[in-house]
Amino acid sequence: MDLAKYVKFSLVSILWFAIACCQPTVATIIFTQTTLTYESSSENFPNPERGFFVAVDPIGNNPVTPLQLSDLQQIKSQNITLVRRIYLLSEFRENSLSQSFLEMISQDCETARQAGVKLIVRFSYNWLGGGADAPRERIVSHLEQLQPILAENYDAIAYMDAGFVGYWGEWHSSTNKLVDNWTLDVTDDARAILLKILSVLPTERMITIRYPKQKKQIFNNINTLSIEEAFNGSVRARTGHHNDGFRSGIDDAGTYGSTNPTIIEQEKTWLNLDTQYVVQGGEPAWPSKPPEYDDCPGALTDLARMHWSSLSTNQSDATEIYQGWIKQGCIEEIKRRLGYRFRLVNSKCPKIVNPNGTLAMSFEIINEGWASPYNPRKVEVVLRNRETKKEYHWVVNEDPRLWMAGTTRLINFAETIPADTPYGEYDVLLNLPDPTPKLYKRPEYSIRLANQDIWEVSTGYNSLLQSIIVAPM
């Protein structure tokens, strides 16, 4: 006999008997509030806008071709939800972007939606071996062409690398001297380009820049973001970081601008604070010197310290690094902890609420990942009638972007049950959907909590494994 089910059935039966017999005193004594504690899960499962990503780079210096749905579906089947898409612009250095090229970007975004993934987008005027970029005027003109495409499709974009400038869009080795190619200091042209990128990309999305010093220079501000600035939509609050030389040496292939350990420590301290509120992504480069520098201990330390959300999983010159992480036993932890990983600790729910009464409940969530979400995200409490399956949704006044790494958040919720709510038993669920209209009802774009037996694949809801009775009291 399943005792748990028997007890639950018996208690609900007693409640209905008490209500039917007009015995509110009995019901009040037996049913007040239930506290439930949840089992954690160590499973590696997909969640939107975080984790390892697959880089879909140009083949040599050939024009890119459209993304294929079957390829993206194969990536998604590996529990990967991010694809980095590099758009090669070499054929447009002296011309406007073609209509067919713009249409391909839109189609790529639709293909990503169909596959249930999101894109990390970068535009570059060169690829294999580096090469020429374009002057400021051409870049600005191309950005103006891209604006309506980005506005229409930002829901399918996780974030956008700054791109455009220098080799591989990494803001160094600029043939048009958009940055100082020796010091990497930005010019007025580079500053204008970055601000233009931020103006054409919807405010709901962030861009990332290759070198931390360049963010300080562009905004003429050496301070890290404060909690007051976090996620406020300003250009500085929307500028994150991508490190494309992760653990390749003491200075991460020039990321920190020095090989002086003191200066590197200062830069890492700065990044540790800034990346609390902006996205950090990137890729490992070649095997490190000394060899042990890219081993698990150092990699885990820096991934956590700089709040990494995304990391390339197929960098060709980093095969040795990935193999090392597998052999040393940290690859599974990296898979689980890149970005956010929310776990439900407990919840408190009433057992009975009357129509037009107040549903007062609370739940506690811990973030066991290395970062918080960087894009807007809704939080909803859902009541679903067990017989009719009709749902009632309430938006919780919470921002998951502020559920910081390593912290526990207590969320209190109180809302009025509609007066015309039918009597009956309702399951209590938690929904963290994508807020964009095209993706709001797509379960694969909702956040799954790291607990056992609470995820509903068909709806994208997390069940609190609790129910309430709506009935007169």
Side-chain angles (χ1 to χ4, degrees), residues 90-223:
S90 55
E91 61 185 307
F92 305 115
R93 285 195 194 99
E94 299 177 2
N95 303 289
S96 298
L97 303 177
S98 67
Q99 185 60 33
S100 61
F101 181 81
L102 295 171
E103 289 173 356
M104 180 182 65
I105 298 171
S106 291
Q107 184 55 52
D108 282 352
C109 291
E110 178 55 30
T111 303
R113 288 188 199 97
Q114 292 177 27
V117 301
K118 291 200 178 188
L119 304 179
I120 301 167
V121 175
R122 186 193 301 181
F123 297 91
S124 178
Y125 292 96
N126 56 77
W127 194 245
L128 185 63
D133 52 15
R136 167 182 169 177
E137 295 76 15
R138 177 63 62 196
I139 296 173
V140 168
S141 173
H142 285 166
L143 282 164
E144 289 173 350
Q145 287 186 273
L146 288 166
Q147 183 166 14
I149 306 296
L150 297 173
E152 177 65 24
N153 294 288
Y154 79 89
D155 62 293
I157 297 171
Y159 62 89
M160 180 172 161
D161 291 341
F164 293 100
V165 174
Y167 280 19
W168 318 303
E170 288 190 15
W171 285 57
H172 65 80
S173 309
S174 169
T175 59
N176 284 272
K177 296 182 172 55
L178 301 173
V179 295
D180 184 303
N181 291 328
W182 180 252
T183 65
L184 301 181
D185 290 340
V186 299
T187 63
D188 289 342
D189 286 341
R191 180 178 292 105
I193 289 167
L194 191 89
L195 293 175
K196 183 66 175 180
I197 295 169
L198 286 161
S199 74
V200 303
L201 186 68
T203 56
E204 293 88 348
R205 290 297 178 266
M206 294 184 179
I207 63 102
T208 59
I209 195 165
R210 175 67 181 89
Y211 301 99
K213 67 178 289 184
Q214 293 175 339
K215 177 175 180 177
K216 300 174 191 177
Q217 292 175 350
I218 286 169
F219 301 114
N220 193 28
N221 191 332
I222 63 171
N223 297 314

Side-chain angles (χ1 to χ4, degrees), residues 307-369:
H307 305 106
W308 280 66
S309 286
S310 64
L311 182 66
S312 171
T313 188
N314 64 326
Q315 200 65 24
S316 60
D317 49 4
T319 302
E320 251 184 73
I321 298 173
Y322 301 129
Q323 291 175 344
W325 292 346
I326 293 171
K327 290 177 182 177
Q328 296 163 37
C330 67
I331 193 72
E332 293 302 320
E333 181 176 358
I334 295 173
K335 289 178 182 179
R336 288 193 303 270
R337 301 190 68 187
L338 281 167
Y340 60 86
R341 186 177 177 88
F342 297 138
R343 176 170 63 84
L344 189 62
V345 180
N346 59 61
S347 69
K348 296 180 180 180
C349 294
K351 288 307 298 179
I352 180 170
V353 179
N354 62 300
N356 207 36
T358 299
L359 170 59
M361 56 176 287
S362 66
F363 52 93
E364 202 169 27
I365 286 182
I366 186 171
N367 185 355
E368 297 176 324

Side-chain angles (χ1 to χ4, degrees), residues 235-262:
V235 289
R236 209 165 78 94
R238 293 172 54 217
T239 302
H241 307 275
H242 72 92
N243 176 349
D244 285 2
F246 178 67
R247 300 296 294 185
S248 61
I250 189 172
D251 66 339
D252 281 13
T255 298
Y256 303 118
S258 175
T259 56
N260 183 315
T262 301

